Short mmCIF file of all heavy atoms in Angstrom, two decimals:
data_model
loop_
_atom_site.label_atom_id
_atom_site.label_comp_id
_atom_site.label_asym_id
_atom_site.label_seq_id
_atom_site.Cartn_x
_atom_site.Cartn_y
_atom_site.Cartn_z
N ALA A 101 -3.98 3.11 28.08
CA ALA A 101 -3.24 1.84 28.11
C ALA A 101 -4.07 0.74 28.74
O ALA A 101 -4.08 -0.41 28.27
CB ALA A 101 -1.92 2.02 28.86
N PHE A 102 -4.81 1.08 29.80
CA PHE A 102 -5.66 0.10 30.46
C PHE A 102 -6.78 -0.37 29.52
O PHE A 102 -7.05 -1.57 29.42
CB PHE A 102 -6.26 0.69 31.74
CG PHE A 102 -7.21 -0.24 32.44
CD1 PHE A 102 -6.72 -1.31 33.18
CD2 PHE A 102 -8.58 -0.08 32.34
CE1 PHE A 102 -7.58 -2.19 33.82
CE2 PHE A 102 -9.45 -0.94 32.97
CZ PHE A 102 -8.95 -2.00 33.71
N VAL A 103 -7.43 0.56 28.82
CA VAL A 103 -8.50 0.20 27.88
C VAL A 103 -7.95 -0.64 26.74
O VAL A 103 -8.55 -1.65 26.35
CB VAL A 103 -9.20 1.48 27.35
CG1 VAL A 103 -10.13 1.15 26.19
CG2 VAL A 103 -9.96 2.18 28.47
N LEU A 104 -6.79 -0.29 26.20
CA LEU A 104 -6.16 -1.06 25.13
C LEU A 104 -5.82 -2.47 25.60
O LEU A 104 -6.08 -3.45 24.91
CB LEU A 104 -4.91 -0.34 24.63
CG LEU A 104 -4.18 -1.01 23.47
CD1 LEU A 104 -5.07 -1.05 22.24
CD2 LEU A 104 -2.88 -0.29 23.17
N ALA A 105 -5.27 -2.60 26.80
CA ALA A 105 -4.93 -3.92 27.35
C ALA A 105 -6.20 -4.74 27.56
O ALA A 105 -6.21 -5.95 27.30
CB ALA A 105 -4.16 -3.76 28.66
N ALA A 106 -7.28 -4.10 28.02
CA ALA A 106 -8.54 -4.81 28.23
C ALA A 106 -9.10 -5.33 26.91
O ALA A 106 -9.59 -6.47 26.82
CB ALA A 106 -9.55 -3.90 28.92
N ILE A 107 -9.01 -4.51 25.86
CA ILE A 107 -9.51 -4.94 24.55
C ILE A 107 -8.69 -6.10 24.00
O ILE A 107 -9.23 -7.07 23.49
CB ILE A 107 -9.51 -3.74 23.56
CG1 ILE A 107 -10.59 -2.74 23.97
CG2 ILE A 107 -9.72 -4.21 22.13
CD1 ILE A 107 -10.57 -1.44 23.19
N VAL A 108 -7.37 -6.03 24.15
CA VAL A 108 -6.50 -7.11 23.69
C VAL A 108 -6.82 -8.40 24.45
O VAL A 108 -6.91 -9.49 23.87
CB VAL A 108 -5.01 -6.73 23.84
CG1 VAL A 108 -4.10 -7.94 23.65
CG2 VAL A 108 -4.66 -5.63 22.86
N CYS A 109 -7.01 -8.31 25.76
CA CYS A 109 -7.36 -9.48 26.57
C CYS A 109 -8.71 -10.06 26.15
O CYS A 109 -8.88 -11.28 26.06
CB CYS A 109 -7.37 -9.14 28.05
SG CYS A 109 -5.73 -8.87 28.74
N LEU A 110 -9.68 -9.20 25.89
CA LEU A 110 -11.01 -9.65 25.47
C LEU A 110 -10.94 -10.37 24.14
O LEU A 110 -11.52 -11.45 23.98
CB LEU A 110 -11.97 -8.46 25.40
CG LEU A 110 -13.40 -8.80 24.97
CD1 LEU A 110 -14.06 -9.68 26.02
CD2 LEU A 110 -14.20 -7.53 24.74
N VAL A 111 -10.23 -9.81 23.17
CA VAL A 111 -10.09 -10.44 21.87
C VAL A 111 -9.37 -11.79 22.01
O VAL A 111 -9.78 -12.79 21.43
CB VAL A 111 -9.35 -9.51 20.88
CG1 VAL A 111 -8.95 -10.25 19.62
CG2 VAL A 111 -10.21 -8.31 20.54
N GLY A 112 -8.32 -11.84 22.79
CA GLY A 112 -7.60 -13.09 23.03
C GLY A 112 -8.49 -14.13 23.69
O GLY A 112 -8.45 -15.31 23.32
N PHE A 113 -9.30 -13.72 24.63
CA PHE A 113 -10.22 -14.64 25.31
C PHE A 113 -11.25 -15.20 24.33
O PHE A 113 -11.53 -16.40 24.32
CB PHE A 113 -10.91 -13.93 26.47
CG PHE A 113 -11.92 -14.78 27.19
CD1 PHE A 113 -11.52 -15.84 27.98
CD2 PHE A 113 -13.28 -14.52 27.05
CE1 PHE A 113 -12.45 -16.63 28.63
CE2 PHE A 113 -14.21 -15.30 27.69
CZ PHE A 113 -13.79 -16.36 28.49
N VAL A 114 -11.82 -14.33 23.50
CA VAL A 114 -12.83 -14.77 22.53
C VAL A 114 -12.23 -15.79 21.57
O VAL A 114 -12.83 -16.82 21.27
CB VAL A 114 -13.43 -13.56 21.77
CG1 VAL A 114 -14.24 -14.02 20.57
CG2 VAL A 114 -14.29 -12.72 22.71
N PHE A 115 -11.02 -15.53 21.05
CA PHE A 115 -10.38 -16.48 20.14
C PHE A 115 -10.00 -17.78 20.84
O PHE A 115 -10.03 -18.83 20.23
CB PHE A 115 -9.15 -15.86 19.48
CG PHE A 115 -9.49 -14.92 18.36
CD1 PHE A 115 -8.97 -13.64 18.36
CD2 PHE A 115 -10.32 -15.30 17.34
CE1 PHE A 115 -9.27 -12.76 17.33
CE2 PHE A 115 -10.64 -14.44 16.31
CZ PHE A 115 -10.12 -13.16 16.31
N SER A 116 -9.68 -17.72 22.11
CA SER A 116 -9.28 -18.95 22.81
C SER A 116 -10.46 -19.86 23.10
O SER A 116 -10.31 -21.07 23.11
CB SER A 116 -8.55 -18.61 24.11
OG SER A 116 -9.45 -18.06 25.07
N ILE A 117 -11.66 -19.31 23.32
CA ILE A 117 -12.82 -20.18 23.60
C ILE A 117 -13.57 -20.57 22.35
O ILE A 117 -14.35 -21.51 22.38
CB ILE A 117 -13.80 -19.52 24.60
CG1 ILE A 117 -14.40 -18.24 24.02
CG2 ILE A 117 -13.15 -19.28 25.94
CD1 ILE A 117 -15.55 -17.68 24.85
N SER A 118 -13.32 -19.88 21.23
CA SER A 118 -14.00 -20.25 19.99
C SER A 118 -13.12 -21.21 19.21
O SER A 118 -11.93 -21.36 19.48
CB SER A 118 -14.30 -19.01 19.15
OG SER A 118 -13.10 -18.43 18.69
N ASP A 119 -13.73 -21.86 18.24
CA ASP A 119 -12.98 -22.79 17.40
C ASP A 119 -12.58 -22.06 16.13
O ASP A 119 -13.06 -22.34 15.05
CB ASP A 119 -13.85 -24.01 17.08
CG ASP A 119 -13.07 -25.12 16.44
OD1 ASP A 119 -11.83 -25.13 16.58
OD2 ASP A 119 -13.68 -25.98 15.80
N PHE A 120 -11.69 -21.10 16.27
CA PHE A 120 -11.29 -20.23 15.17
C PHE A 120 -10.22 -20.94 14.35
O PHE A 120 -9.18 -21.33 14.89
CB PHE A 120 -10.77 -18.91 15.73
CG PHE A 120 -10.82 -17.79 14.75
CD1 PHE A 120 -12.03 -17.35 14.26
CD2 PHE A 120 -9.66 -17.20 14.30
CE1 PHE A 120 -12.09 -16.31 13.35
CE2 PHE A 120 -9.71 -16.17 13.39
CZ PHE A 120 -10.93 -15.73 12.91
N SER A 121 -10.48 -21.14 13.06
CA SER A 121 -9.61 -22.00 12.26
C SER A 121 -8.58 -21.27 11.40
O SER A 121 -7.91 -21.90 10.61
CB SER A 121 -10.47 -22.89 11.37
OG SER A 121 -11.21 -22.09 10.48
N ILE A 122 -8.45 -19.97 11.49
CA ILE A 122 -7.46 -19.27 10.68
C ILE A 122 -6.04 -19.71 11.06
O ILE A 122 -5.18 -19.85 10.21
CB ILE A 122 -7.61 -17.74 10.82
CG1 ILE A 122 -8.83 -17.28 10.05
CG2 ILE A 122 -6.38 -17.02 10.31
CD1 ILE A 122 -9.08 -15.80 10.12
N PHE A 123 -5.82 -19.95 12.32
CA PHE A 123 -4.48 -20.30 12.78
C PHE A 123 -4.23 -21.81 12.79
O PHE A 123 -3.12 -22.24 13.03
CB PHE A 123 -4.25 -19.73 14.18
CG PHE A 123 -4.51 -18.25 14.25
CD1 PHE A 123 -5.56 -17.76 15.00
CD2 PHE A 123 -3.72 -17.35 13.55
CE1 PHE A 123 -5.80 -16.40 15.06
CE2 PHE A 123 -3.96 -16.00 13.60
CZ PHE A 123 -5.01 -15.51 14.36
N LYS A 124 -5.26 -22.60 12.52
CA LYS A 124 -5.11 -24.05 12.49
C LYS A 124 -4.90 -24.52 11.07
O LYS A 124 -5.45 -23.96 10.13
CB LYS A 124 -6.37 -24.72 13.05
CG LYS A 124 -6.59 -24.47 14.52
CD LYS A 124 -7.83 -25.21 14.99
CE LYS A 124 -8.10 -24.96 16.45
NZ LYS A 124 -9.33 -25.62 16.88
N LYS A 125 -4.12 -25.57 10.92
CA LYS A 125 -3.90 -26.16 9.61
C LYS A 125 -4.96 -27.22 9.35
O LYS A 125 -5.42 -27.89 10.26
CB LYS A 125 -2.51 -26.78 9.54
CG LYS A 125 -1.39 -25.76 9.60
CD LYS A 125 -0.05 -26.42 9.45
CE LYS A 125 1.06 -25.38 9.51
NZ LYS A 125 2.37 -25.98 9.36
N GLY A 126 -5.32 -27.34 8.09
CA GLY A 126 -6.32 -28.33 7.72
C GLY A 126 -6.49 -28.37 6.21
O GLY A 126 -5.76 -27.72 5.47
N GLN A 127 -7.46 -29.16 5.78
CA GLN A 127 -7.73 -29.29 4.36
C GLN A 127 -9.24 -29.18 4.13
O GLN A 127 -10.02 -29.37 5.04
CB GLN A 127 -7.19 -30.61 3.79
CG GLN A 127 -7.72 -31.84 4.47
CD GLN A 127 -6.84 -32.32 5.61
OE1 GLN A 127 -5.86 -31.69 5.97
NE2 GLN A 127 -7.21 -33.43 6.19
N THR A 128 -9.61 -28.87 2.88
CA THR A 128 -11.03 -28.76 2.54
C THR A 128 -11.42 -29.86 1.57
O THR A 128 -10.58 -30.38 0.82
CB THR A 128 -11.35 -27.39 1.90
OG1 THR A 128 -10.58 -27.23 0.73
CG2 THR A 128 -11.09 -26.26 2.87
N TYR A 129 -12.68 -30.21 1.61
CA TYR A 129 -13.28 -31.19 0.71
C TYR A 129 -14.60 -30.62 0.21
O TYR A 129 -15.27 -29.88 0.93
CB TYR A 129 -13.56 -32.52 1.45
CG TYR A 129 -12.32 -33.18 1.98
CD1 TYR A 129 -11.89 -32.95 3.28
CD2 TYR A 129 -11.57 -34.02 1.17
CE1 TYR A 129 -10.75 -33.54 3.77
CE2 TYR A 129 -10.41 -34.61 1.67
CZ TYR A 129 -10.01 -34.38 2.96
OH TYR A 129 -8.88 -34.96 3.45
N GLN A 130 -14.96 -30.97 -1.00
CA GLN A 130 -16.26 -30.60 -1.56
C GLN A 130 -17.13 -31.86 -1.49
O GLN A 130 -16.75 -32.90 -2.02
CB GLN A 130 -16.13 -30.16 -3.02
CG GLN A 130 -15.14 -29.04 -3.25
CD GLN A 130 -15.59 -27.72 -2.65
OE1 GLN A 130 -16.77 -27.40 -2.66
NE2 GLN A 130 -14.66 -26.98 -2.10
N VAL A 131 -18.29 -31.73 -0.85
CA VAL A 131 -19.22 -32.85 -0.74
C VAL A 131 -20.49 -32.45 -1.47
O VAL A 131 -21.06 -31.40 -1.20
CB VAL A 131 -19.53 -33.21 0.73
CG1 VAL A 131 -20.39 -34.46 0.79
CG2 VAL A 131 -18.25 -33.40 1.52
N MET A 132 -20.94 -33.31 -2.41
CA MET A 132 -22.11 -33.00 -3.21
C MET A 132 -23.31 -33.83 -2.75
O MET A 132 -23.19 -35.04 -2.55
CB MET A 132 -21.83 -33.24 -4.68
CG MET A 132 -20.74 -32.32 -5.22
SD MET A 132 -20.48 -32.49 -6.97
CE MET A 132 -21.97 -31.76 -7.58
N PHE A 133 -24.43 -33.15 -2.58
CA PHE A 133 -25.69 -33.78 -2.22
C PHE A 133 -26.76 -33.31 -3.20
O PHE A 133 -26.63 -32.26 -3.83
CB PHE A 133 -26.14 -33.36 -0.81
CG PHE A 133 -25.24 -33.84 0.29
CD1 PHE A 133 -24.29 -33.01 0.85
CD2 PHE A 133 -25.36 -35.13 0.79
CE1 PHE A 133 -23.47 -33.43 1.87
CE2 PHE A 133 -24.54 -35.57 1.81
CZ PHE A 133 -23.59 -34.72 2.35
N GLU A 134 -27.85 -34.07 -3.31
CA GLU A 134 -29.01 -33.60 -4.06
C GLU A 134 -29.98 -32.89 -3.12
O GLU A 134 -30.78 -32.09 -3.54
CB GLU A 134 -29.71 -34.77 -4.76
CG GLU A 134 -28.92 -35.33 -5.92
CD GLU A 134 -29.63 -36.47 -6.61
OE1 GLU A 134 -30.86 -36.61 -6.46
OE2 GLU A 134 -28.95 -37.24 -7.31
N PHE A 135 -29.89 -33.20 -1.83
CA PHE A 135 -30.79 -32.65 -0.81
C PHE A 135 -30.00 -32.45 0.47
O PHE A 135 -29.40 -33.38 0.99
CB PHE A 135 -31.96 -33.64 -0.59
CG PHE A 135 -32.92 -33.22 0.46
CD1 PHE A 135 -33.70 -32.09 0.30
CD2 PHE A 135 -33.08 -33.96 1.62
CE1 PHE A 135 -34.61 -31.69 1.27
CE2 PHE A 135 -33.99 -33.58 2.58
CZ PHE A 135 -34.75 -32.45 2.41
N ALA A 136 -29.96 -31.21 0.99
CA ALA A 136 -29.11 -30.90 2.14
C ALA A 136 -29.84 -30.97 3.48
O ALA A 136 -29.20 -30.90 4.53
CB ALA A 136 -28.49 -29.52 1.98
N ASN A 137 -31.15 -31.07 3.49
CA ASN A 137 -31.94 -31.31 4.70
C ASN A 137 -31.64 -30.37 5.87
O ASN A 137 -31.44 -30.79 7.00
CB ASN A 137 -31.76 -32.77 5.16
CG ASN A 137 -32.82 -33.21 6.13
OD1 ASN A 137 -33.90 -32.64 6.17
ND2 ASN A 137 -32.52 -34.21 6.94
N GLY A 138 -31.56 -29.07 5.63
CA GLY A 138 -31.40 -28.11 6.71
C GLY A 138 -29.99 -27.88 7.20
O GLY A 138 -29.78 -27.26 8.23
N LEU A 139 -29.01 -28.36 6.48
CA LEU A 139 -27.61 -28.16 6.83
C LEU A 139 -27.27 -26.67 6.71
O LEU A 139 -27.73 -26.01 5.79
CB LEU A 139 -26.73 -28.98 5.89
CG LEU A 139 -25.33 -29.34 6.32
CD1 LEU A 139 -25.36 -30.15 7.62
CD2 LEU A 139 -24.66 -30.16 5.24
N LYS A 140 -26.48 -26.13 7.64
CA LYS A 140 -26.15 -24.71 7.64
C LYS A 140 -24.65 -24.48 7.61
O LYS A 140 -23.88 -25.32 8.08
CB LYS A 140 -26.71 -24.03 8.89
CG LYS A 140 -28.21 -24.01 8.95
CD LYS A 140 -28.68 -23.32 10.21
CE LYS A 140 -30.20 -23.36 10.28
NZ LYS A 140 -30.69 -22.79 11.53
N LYS A 141 -24.27 -23.32 7.08
CA LYS A 141 -22.86 -22.91 7.09
C LYS A 141 -22.40 -22.83 8.55
O LYS A 141 -23.12 -22.33 9.41
CB LYS A 141 -22.72 -21.55 6.42
CG LYS A 141 -21.33 -21.01 6.40
CD LYS A 141 -21.30 -19.64 5.74
CE LYS A 141 -19.93 -19.03 5.86
NZ LYS A 141 -19.89 -17.68 5.29
N GLY A 142 -21.20 -23.33 8.83
CA GLY A 142 -20.67 -23.31 10.18
C GLY A 142 -21.03 -24.55 10.99
O GLY A 142 -20.57 -24.70 12.12
N ALA A 143 -21.84 -25.44 10.44
CA ALA A 143 -22.23 -26.66 11.15
C ALA A 143 -21.00 -27.53 11.39
O ALA A 143 -20.03 -27.47 10.63
CB ALA A 143 -23.28 -27.42 10.36
N PRO A 144 -21.03 -28.36 12.42
CA PRO A 144 -19.87 -29.21 12.72
C PRO A 144 -19.63 -30.29 11.66
O PRO A 144 -20.54 -30.72 10.96
CB PRO A 144 -20.25 -29.88 14.05
CG PRO A 144 -21.38 -29.10 14.59
CD PRO A 144 -22.07 -28.46 13.45
N LEU A 145 -18.39 -30.72 11.58
CA LEU A 145 -17.97 -31.86 10.78
C LEU A 145 -17.42 -32.88 11.76
O LEU A 145 -16.57 -32.55 12.59
CB LEU A 145 -16.90 -31.46 9.77
CG LEU A 145 -16.16 -32.60 9.06
CD1 LEU A 145 -17.10 -33.32 8.11
CD2 LEU A 145 -14.96 -32.07 8.31
N ARG A 146 -17.92 -34.10 11.67
CA ARG A 146 -17.46 -35.16 12.58
C ARG A 146 -16.96 -36.35 11.77
O ARG A 146 -17.55 -36.70 10.76
CB ARG A 146 -18.59 -35.61 13.50
CG ARG A 146 -19.01 -34.53 14.47
CD ARG A 146 -20.21 -34.99 15.29
NE ARG A 146 -20.58 -33.96 16.22
CZ ARG A 146 -20.50 -34.09 17.55
NH1 ARG A 146 -20.07 -35.21 18.08
NH2 ARG A 146 -20.84 -33.09 18.32
N VAL A 147 -15.89 -36.95 12.25
CA VAL A 147 -15.36 -38.17 11.65
C VAL A 147 -15.53 -39.27 12.69
O VAL A 147 -14.96 -39.18 13.78
CB VAL A 147 -13.87 -38.01 11.26
CG1 VAL A 147 -13.33 -39.32 10.71
CG2 VAL A 147 -13.70 -36.90 10.24
N ALA A 148 -16.37 -40.25 12.37
CA ALA A 148 -16.68 -41.35 13.28
C ALA A 148 -17.17 -40.82 14.64
O ALA A 148 -16.84 -41.37 15.68
CB ALA A 148 -15.48 -42.28 13.46
#
């Protein structure tokens, strides 16, 4: 029970400090470029 509780706490902690978007609502957009200049999956999106 102690090990199970520790694992649950660890998973909860990891999800709370990460920006995990499964539980957040949002929308997607497709942006087309001819040249991506080193952009990577998971990179931030900023508005203004």
Side-chain angles (χ1 to χ4, degrees):
F102 177 76
V103 170
L104 183 63
I107 290 172
V108 168
C109 288
L110 180 65
V111 169
F113 177 71
V114 168
F115 283 127
S116 70
I117 63 170
S118 67
D119 191 20
F120 202 64
S121 62
I122 286 180
F123 306 114
K124 293 182 182 177
K125 292 183 180 180
Q127 57 267 5
T128 59
Y129 298 94
Q130 305 292 323
V131 186
M132 296 185 71
F133 294 99
E134 289 181 20
F135 178 65
N137 196 24
L139 201 59
K140 294 180 182 176
K141 179 181 174 183
L145 168 69
R146 293 175 179 245
V147 177

